Amino acid sequence: MDFYQAKAAGATPLLFFVHGGGWMTGDKATPAPDFLVKCLENGISLVSINYRLITDAQQEKIMPPVKACLDDSARALQFVRSKAAEWRIDKDRIGGCGGSAGGFTVLYLGFHSDMADAGSADPVSRESTRLRCVMAFVPQTSLDPKQMKAWIPNNEYGNHAFGLASMQEFLDKRDNLMPWIDQFSPYALASADDPPVLLFYDSTPDLGKPPAKDPVHSGNFGAGIAEKLKAVGIEHEINYNNDYAHMKYPDLFGFLVAKLKK
């Protein structure tokens, strides 16, 4: 991981950044440059992580392959918290941020129950995986192929997370995969005690209407999970195409400042 420390007299909030790339490519060296600068200027430190990719997981015969990506991200978050005193981080003010698959990952961390193991002999494992807030750019919000096809009929994304060759194979094996889908999908994990989220999409949603111009990053992923977020009572904002008229915050970064600088 790369750690960018904000200048401050005491402990700083932290933005935990996970890169995108479909869990197939990408690197920690590419956090959003404008957000990095804004974080440091506003006294918010930033960590950008690497994690095993799908191809690494397949070589290690991890099933499903996406588990390695998500497990590594959770472990990285715990490691960061274990360094809180040394790195002058306020471990109660850590927000998640990422784009595409990285956005999915921080939503997974935000909605998953705490993975801390209080009885572990490993001090890192005893640290919390909970986040104060989540900001995700064009994230996928489900790994249920039936749900994704209902939202975005021309979507062909997601089968690789389970080591499958095609979306059709994903659909055919869906029933057997449901325990894993429920274990990893932000949509399935969302519950009332989860942190506030801001989702950004650069397309206007039109649920169920083909064809989506960029199905992998369609605003339909935001519209699809919006009903669940509202039903369980998670504070949320969804920005489509930089439309701020309905938002509580003047810009995307204003959300982070409000949640991490309180």
Side-chain angles (χ1 to χ4, degrees), residues 133-213:
C133 63
V134 172
M135 175 182 286
F137 297 90
V138 296
Q140 301 79 31
T141 56
S142 173
L143 276 180
D144 180 346
K146 184 177 178 181
Q147 189 172 54
M148 288 190 286
K149 278 291 191 180
W151 294 349
I152 312 163
N154 63 327
N155 177 67
E156 297 293 324
Y157 178 90
N159 49 284
H160 67 302
F162 295 90
L164 303 176
S166 68
M167 177 59 76
Q168 188 56 55
E169 184 182 8
F170 197 9
L171 288 164
D172 292 343
K173 295 183 176 180
R174 173 184 179 270
D175 289 348
N176 290 333
L177 293 172
M178 281 310 299
W180 279 342
I181 291 169
D182 288 341
Q183 181 180 345
F184 299 126
S185 285
Y187 184 97
L189 292 169
S191 59
D193 63 343
D194 293 334
V197 301
L198 189 155
L199 309 181
F200 173 86
Y201 293 92
D202 54 9
S203 62
T204 303
D206 195 7
L207 279 173
K209 304 293 179 61
K213 184 177 180 180

Side-chain angles (χ1 to χ4, degrees), residues 111 141 151 186-187 199 220-230:
F111 294 166
T141 56
W151 294 349
Y187 184 97
L199 309 181
N220 290 357
F221 276 114
I225 199 172
E227 181 181 345
K228 177 68 177 290
L229 299 179
K230 183 178 180 179

Side-chain angles (χ1 to χ4, degrees), residues 20 25 37 55 63 86 101 103 127 130 134 144 146 152 167 172-173 192 200 207 210 214 217 238-239 245:
T25 62
V37 170
T55 49
M63 287 300 293
E86 180 181 343
E127 296 288 348
R130 296 296 277 169
V134 172
D144 180 346
K146 184 177 178 181
I152 312 163
M167 177 59 76
D172 292 343
K173 295 183 176 180
F200 173 86
L207 279 173
D214 180 9
H217 304 113
I238 305 181
N239 185 298

